[in-house]
Amino acid sequence: MFDRLQAVEDRYERLNELLSDPDVVSDSKKLREYSKEQSDIQEMVEVYREYKEVKQQLADAKEMLEIEKDPDMHEMVKEEFNELNARIPELEERLRILLIPKDPNDDKNVIMEIRGAAGGDEANIFAGDLFRMYSRYAEAQGWKIDIMEATPNAMGGYKEIIFMINGQGAYSKFKFENGAHRVQRVPATESQGRIHTSTATVACLPEVEEVDVEIHEKDIRVDTFASSGAGGQSVNTTMSAVRMTHIPTGVVVSMQDERSQIKNREKAMKILRARVADMYQQEAQKEIDATRKSAVGTGDRSERIRTYNYPQNRVTDHRIGLTLQKLDIIMEGKLDEVIDALMLEEQASKLARLNDEQ
């Protein structure tokens, strides 16, 4: 562990030199890249330096204990020695946690896609409930919500809604929502009071910048058409709607939310970039998941991750066996208890793997 920490500190010093290099300062891409790398490891370096300082102070105190003859002074040094000795395991634990590989996407904005799945109108209504839940949670964090595309359902909710949450660390909180969400309740349209089970799927994608994934214009086919409203009637006689197809992967994005074709292109490109990056990452992850599955699931869209049981006011997250009898509170966007538990489980899982490797 300490060899790795020393290597990180050496890299930190090297980054200090690079960030003072005129060639780097004049290259915005390198400057951004090195600044982010330095920022990511700064806390680890600071704690490691504190650890080394405490170790040195501990060695000095031990030496003084061996030579100090004055009883009062000896007792004072002994007290200091005990305090320093107690800090060592605390700092070592902090360093182990800081060494856990960080998801490079955690600080990014998140693009979320919610779709009604099995259950007809009730599934679409539930998709709307999930959107409201996530919106309230995001608003409580002070994050901005931008609806990118929405297909409302006649009975309420959405057949599909795509939106972006803009906020520092948004992806780190929402990434655990990937998968199938199941609801058990009596629909408003049910006259005999029978409980129905419906599902909605949630996809969470980190916003991807141009520097993160390169998509060539020659690989994109763009079709334009007049946007239409419910029932197929024309709501826009200009060719403002956009359909983008990424030819190498077959990923398709349609966007007609804006009246301006330029704005629709911009939104479609954001979603396309995120979906293409996600597809590449999912393919790479399959190799890892074939031999090791994360404690909080693979994030696969088909994986049932959570059940919302209305009659019993109960939420169950199946990945970590968490059950809470507070569905009414959670649906109001009070998701902290669920998200914090998932983050802790991920951290514990990564720490266990790190200890195994050592």
Side-chain angles (χ1 to χ4, degrees):
M1 180 174 86
F2 296 106
D3 289 341
R4 291 176 65 182
L5 287 165
Q6 188 56 54
V8 170
E9 184 182 31
D10 293 342
R11 177 60 180 169
Y12 186 84
E13 291 298 331
R14 176 60 181 151
L15 287 167
N16 274 337
E17 296 172 9
L18 288 167
L19 289 169
S20 302
D21 188 324
D23 291 337
V24 172
V25 173
S26 61
D27 186 328
S28 60
K29 184 179 177 181
K30 282 186 177 178
L31 186 63
R32 182 171 59 248
E33 186 181 306
Y34 291 149
S35 295
K36 185 179 185 309
E37 185 184 352
Q38 187 188 56
S39 175
D40 287 345
I41 63 175
Q42 184 171 344
E43 185 182 0
M44 191 188 304
V45 170
E46 288 174 353
V47 176
Y48 179 50
R49 286 174 174 171
E50 183 183 355
Y51 173 82
K52 289 195 293 184
E53 185 179 343
V54 170
K55 286 286 281 186
Q56 183 59 54
Q57 290 173 353
L58 191 64
D60 293 344
K62 184 179 180 181
E63 188 178 330
M64 284 189 68
L65 280 174
E66 292 172 355
I67 61 174
E68 185 59 58
K69 304 300 182 186
D70 181 89
D72 292 338
M73 195 65 179
H74 188 277
E75 190 60 33
M76 190 185 302
V77 174
K78 185 179 179 182
E79 187 176 329
E80 182 186 0
F81 177 86
N82 290 336
E83 288 176 2
L84 291 166
N85 202 37
R87 288 182 64 193
I88 293 296
E90 294 173 6
L91 289 168
E92 286 179 348
E93 184 62 20
R94 279 187 68 190
L95 288 169
R96 284 192 189 92
I97 291 170
L98 288 168
L99 274 171
I100 295 172
K102 186 181 176 185
D103 187 333
N105 294 319
D106 273 354
D107 293 334
K108 294 183 178 180
N109 300 327
V110 63
I111 295 172
M112 300 191 71
E113 304 179 3
I114 306 176
R115 295 177 178 86
D121 289 333
E122 173 63 11
N124 297 328
I125 292 169
F126 180 50
D129 294 338
L130 290 175
F131 171 65
R132 178 176 175 273
M133 177 181 75
Y134 293 138
S135 298
R136 294 206 163 193
Y137 178 76
E139 287 164 2
Q141 310 302 311
W143 297 336
K144 181 173 174 277
I145 300 159
D146 178 20
I147 296 177
M148 306 180 83
E149 181 77 331
T151 308
N153 180 53
M155 297 295 291
Y158 298 95
K159 294 178 182 177
E160 174 186 72
I161 182 165
I162 303 171
F163 56 102
M164 179 181 284
I165 297 176
N166 298 278
Q168 182 75 18
Y171 181 74
S172 71
K173 300 284 189 179
F174 283 104
K175 64 182 179 181
F176 301 108
E177 299 305 300
N178 257 331
H181 295 241
R182 181 175 70 172
V183 63
Q184 295 172 326
R185 64 185 175 188
V186 179
T189 54
E190 172 57 57
S191 59
Q192 298 182 30
R194 290 176 299 188
I195 296 172
H196 286 223
T197 298
S198 307
T199 58
T201 60
V202 177
C204 305
L205 312 173
E207 182 186 17
V208 179
E209 301 293 338
E210 288 184 48
V211 294
D212 297 325
V213 59
E214 192 172 12
I215 296 180
H216 301 287
E217 283 190 34
K218 64 181 177 64
D219 291 334
I220 301 175
R221 186 176 73 245
V222 180
D223 301 307
T224 58
F225 54 96
S227 62
S228 59
Q233 71 209 61
S234 176
V235 295
N236 189 348
T237 56
T238 62
M239 306 293 280
S240 62
V242 172
R243 182 183 298 109
M244 282 188 177
T245 304
H246 185 244
I247 298 166
T249 61
V251 171
V252 180
V253 175
S254 294
M255 182 62 57
Q256 59 176 8
D257 193 55
E258 301 285 350
R259 291 186 176 276
S260 160
Q261 186 186 120
I262 293 173
K263 288 183 178 179
N264 279 328
R265 278 175 176 262
E266 288 175 357
K267 284 189 172 183
M269 194 62 199
K270 277 182 182 288
I271 297 172
L272 184 75
R273 200 177 286 125
R275 286 186 184 172
V276 169
D278 181 61
M279 179 176 281
Y280 289 147
Q281 188 170 343
Q282 292 271 347
E283 288 174 356
Q285 191 67 31
K286 279 179 185 175
E287 296 182 18
I288 299 171
D289 291 335
T291 55
R292 182 186 69 212
K293 184 177 179 181
S294 167
V296 294
T298 62
D300 192 277
R301 311 287 182 266
S302 63
E303 181 183 14
R304 189 191 72 194
I305 64 166
R306 196 175 298 145
T307 295
Y308 305 73
N309 186 298
Y310 275 73
Q312 297 180 25
N313 196 36
R314 185 182 69 220
V315 174
T316 300
D317 195 289
H318 304 290
R319 295 163 294 181
I320 57 175
L322 175 70
T323 297
L324 301 171
Q325 302 290 150
K326 48 181 76 173
L327 172 64
D328 53 341
I329 295 171
I330 287 168
M331 294 309 291
E332 289 300 315
K334 306 289 197 308
L335 281 165
D336 290 300
E337 195 169 348
V338 179
I339 290 174
D340 289 350
L342 288 161
M343 292 180 78
L344 280 171
E345 186 67 30
E346 182 192 47
Q347 187 181 82
S349 177
K350 286 183 175 180
L351 186 57
R353 289 202 296 269
L354 189 66
N355 290 336
D356 289 344
E357 289 169 4
Q358 292 173 359

